Amino acid sequence: MKKASIITYGCQMNVNESAKIKKIFQNLGYDVTEETDDADAVFLNTCTVREGAATQIFGKLGELKALKEKKGTIIGVTGCFAQEQGEELVKKFPIIDIVMGNQNIGRIPQAIEKIENNESTHEVYTDNEDELPPRLDAEFASDQTASISITYGCNNFCTFCIVPYVRGRERSVPLEEIVKDVEQYVSKGAKEIVLLGQNVNSYGKDFKNGDNFAKLLEEICKVEGDYIVRFVSPHPRDFTDDVIDVIAKNDKISKCLHLPLQSGSSQVLRKMGRGYTKEKYLALVDKIKSKIPDVALTADIIVGFPGETEEDFLDTVDVVEKVSFDNSYMFMYSIRKGTKAATMDNQIDENVKKERLQRLMEVQNKCSFNESSKYKDKVVRVLVEGPSKKNKEVLSGRTSTNKIVLFKGDIALKGQFVDVKINECKTWTLYGDIV
């Protein structure tokens, strides 16, 4: 049996698309393996959000050159970087056989066939079409977690982000198709459904039938079964009252909400093109916490955006302390060619960015510990994921608020929900016993 290997870089959208690529290769008769040395086909599913992504991808392609020379392995590159580079990738690395844009992975079978039959030296598909990509079956790494793309593309054009240029404008998947996918995965045993999109809560804005994100969540929760619904990533500007109300009243929806902040400074937010101010963000947080008292909030934060002053940075620190995020994904701003921010004046010195990031991480760590400490002596419902990676003698699972919980129990509990009383709280992990 021929073997294929898929290497994934970047976001959960790429993970989802790699699961589809895996299923495509299985349907073609390939055994999918993590070992590239023995593969007859290797596909890199790439990211281009940060400038450094190119270095990582080029390095891997350099490693694959020997494999290509040794056994003629088919080399494919897909994802955002492939969409952006197109034909240029083949010019830089002639070992590449196939270049596939984000919307084109459904054409992998015909590309493979042409390469295998020597009908073509290189196949390049980077059509950035307006229509939705074909709905493809997927083979996920976990049989208890399934992800579903509910939108493709993005209309926001934040000044630091390349995504709209490589994934196109926003298109929503019809509601009935998404619900059908949920029914299918739940019937197969999935206990966790993850909804994906660059801006999930603007879902349906391109429709004229009244379907929106709140309605989608309502309809998904009507699907019979014991499962939890998570979603990434929403935009604070589009977090409407009806969405908050749906989350508050449905136990099936995760009570961990990712609310990308990016900056706590209204001045920097305006330069980023985010569409909200510090005050509006904090008002939204207050509204969410009042309606969902046990909610856990997480955020993305960029430190050192062009023109960011010490006062701007302290505004970000102020928001982190006021909100007390469970966790924040914090990054130093890096120039991304092709975006408006790349040409802005007053780029921040790298040492200043590093120093600010370190200070912010220290603040966030304190917030994370304080939020974890609130679980002491509480009984929480946990989805058992399996043995802990660090200690196989205990089980690991996650709460509705996405907190990691470690506890003793039978491996047969994997994929089930159990109640656990929390005895010890650390910054990132809770410890307890099954009730």
Side-chain angles (χ1 to χ4, degrees):
M1 181 180 284
K2 291 182 291 188
K3 296 181 179 180
S5 182
I6 302 148
I7 302 171
T8 307
Y9 303 90
C11 67
Q12 289 197 54
M13 187 73 80
N14 273 17
V15 173
N16 173 270
E17 287 162 357
S18 286
K20 294 173 182 175
I21 295 171
K22 179 180 180 180
K23 189 65 175 179
I24 288 171
F25 272 107
Q26 289 175 335
N27 290 340
L28 289 173
Y30 283 76
D31 178 28
V32 178
T33 175
E34 293 184 3
E35 300 298 326
T36 59
D37 290 347
D38 198 31
D40 299 281
V42 177
F43 262 61
L44 308 184
N45 190 3
T46 61
C47 175
T48 187
V49 170
R50 291 178 184 83
E51 194 72 32
T55 303
Q56 194 175 17
I57 295 161
F58 289 160
K60 177 56 69 174
L61 287 168
E63 293 175 18
L64 293 174
K65 184 179 179 181
L67 184 63
K68 179 75 171 180
E69 294 171 348
K70 176 183 176 182
K71 58 180 298 182
T73 299
I74 295 174
I75 308 296
V77 184
T78 186
C80 290
F81 191 68
Q83 183 76 45
E84 181 187 40
Q85 295 285 312
E87 294 275 2
E88 290 300 312
L89 261 180
V90 176
K91 293 177 182 178
K92 293 174 183 175
F93 289 88
I95 65 164
I96 298 174
D97 300 285
I98 299 168
V99 176
M100 288 267 176
N102 297 299
Q103 298 187 50
N104 310 118
I105 60 174
R107 300 165 75 177
I108 286 176
Q110 70 185 77
I112 292 286
E113 183 179 7
K114 286 186 176 182
I115 298 299
E116 287 183 334
N117 294 335
N118 295 317
E119 295 175 21
S120 175
T121 305
H122 305 286
E123 287 292 296
V124 179
Y125 304 92
T126 54
D127 302 336
N128 195 3
E129 303 158 350
D130 290 332
E131 66 258 24
L132 290 168
R135 302 297 283 171
L136 300 170
D137 197 5
E139 183 68 29
F140 298 106
S142 167
D143 55 5
Q144 67 188 43
T145 299
S147 60
I148 301 170
S149 299
I150 67 169
T151 66
Y152 294 90
C154 184
N155 290 345
N156 291 324
F157 290 91
C158 299
T159 59
F160 55 81
C161 186
I162 197 70
V163 168
Y165 303 98
V166 292
R167 285 194 174 267
R169 303 304 291 270
E170 187 174 280
R171 292 95 66 210
S172 302
V173 177
L175 186 147
E176 59 273 11
E177 290 189 22
I178 299 169
V179 173
K180 186 177 179 181
D181 281 350
V182 174
E183 291 172 341
Q184 171 192 337
Y185 292 129
V186 170
S187 69
K188 290 181 178 179
K191 295 294 184 179
E192 183 178 51
I193 302 294
V194 184
L195 307 179
L196 301 177
Q198 306 303 140
N199 187 11
V200 289
N201 52 342
S202 64
Y203 172 84
K205 283 190 174 182
D206 49 336
F207 293 151
K208 297 180 180 179
N209 60 0
D211 289 350
N212 58 25
F213 191 53
K215 183 178 179 182
L216 175 64
L217 290 175
E218 284 272 23
E219 293 302 313
I220 288 174
C221 288
K222 292 178 183 178
V223 175
E224 291 188 10
D226 194 13
Y227 58 92
I228 190 166
V229 180
R230 304 186 192 275
F231 56 84
V232 288
S233 279
H235 194 296
R237 184 195 58 219
D238 298 313
F239 228 113
T240 53
D241 289 353
D242 56 351
V243 171
I244 298 171
D245 291 339
V246 170
I247 296 169
K249 72 180 183 181
N250 280 291
D251 290 337
K252 284 183 175 178
I253 303 176
S254 168
K255 299 306 182 281
C256 178
L257 302 183
H258 188 61
L259 208 60
L261 171 64
Q262 307 305 0
S263 173
S265 162
S266 295
Q267 171 184 288
V268 174
L269 288 169
R270 178 180 55 78
K271 292 178 68 177
M272 288 178 166
R274 293 293 290 169
Y276 54 85
T277 62
K278 172 184 179 180
E279 291 73 24
K280 286 184 178 179
Y281 186 93
L282 289 173
L284 173 62
V285 168
D286 288 343
K287 184 185 296 183
I288 291 173
K289 287 187 174 183
S290 68
K291 292 189 176 183
I292 315 172
D294 294 328
V295 72
L297 297 175
T298 61
D300 296 327
I301 301 174
I302 296 172
V303 171
F305 189 78
E308 181 189 73
T309 64
E310 177 68 10
E311 183 179 3
D312 292 326
F313 171 71
L314 291 177
D315 272 340
T316 297
V317 173
D318 184 52
V319 173
V320 171
E321 291 178 331
K322 281 186 166 73
V323 176
S324 190
F325 294 109
D326 259 52
N327 193 12
S328 294
Y329 304 93
M330 297 164 282
F331 310 93
M332 292 190 299
Y333 170 76
S334 60
I335 292 175
R336 189 65 189 87
K337 292 178 182 177
T339 63
K340 289 184 179 180
T343 61
M344 289 181 178
D345 295 330
N346 299 319
Q347 297 287 334
I348 306 301
D349 180 79
E350 287 297 307
N351 290 328
V352 174
K353 286 192 281 189
K354 289 178 182 177
E355 188 267 343
R356 287 178 181 171
L357 179 62
Q358 185 60 43
R359 286 159 60 192
L360 188 63
M361 289 171 62
E362 291 172 2
V363 172
Q364 179 56 62
N365 287 345
K366 291 178 182 178
C367 293
S368 296
F369 178 72
N370 289 338
E371 292 304 307
S372 287
S373 299
K374 295 178 181 178
Y375 288 84
K376 184 73 162 59
D377 296 327
K378 286 187 176 181
V379 175
V380 293
R381 190 169 187 251
V382 176
L383 174 59
V384 184
E385 297 181 333
S388 166
K389 292 180 179 179
K390 293 183 178 180
N391 183 357
K392 300 297 182 182
E393 295 183 2
V394 297
L395 297 177
S396 176
R398 282 181 297 148
T399 66
S400 172
T401 54
N402 213 31
K403 298 294 291 186
I404 296 172
V405 184
L406 300 183
F407 51 95
K408 290 185 177 180
D410 195 314
I411 186 61
L413 292 173
K414 180 180 178 181
Q416 298 183 33
F417 289 95
V418 297
D419 289 331
V420 177
K421 183 178 180 182
I422 304 304
N423 304 321
E424 184 181 2
C425 306
K426 293 189 177 179
T427 304
W428 310 115
T429 310
L430 307 177
Y431 299 82
D433 297 306
I434 295 177
V435 176

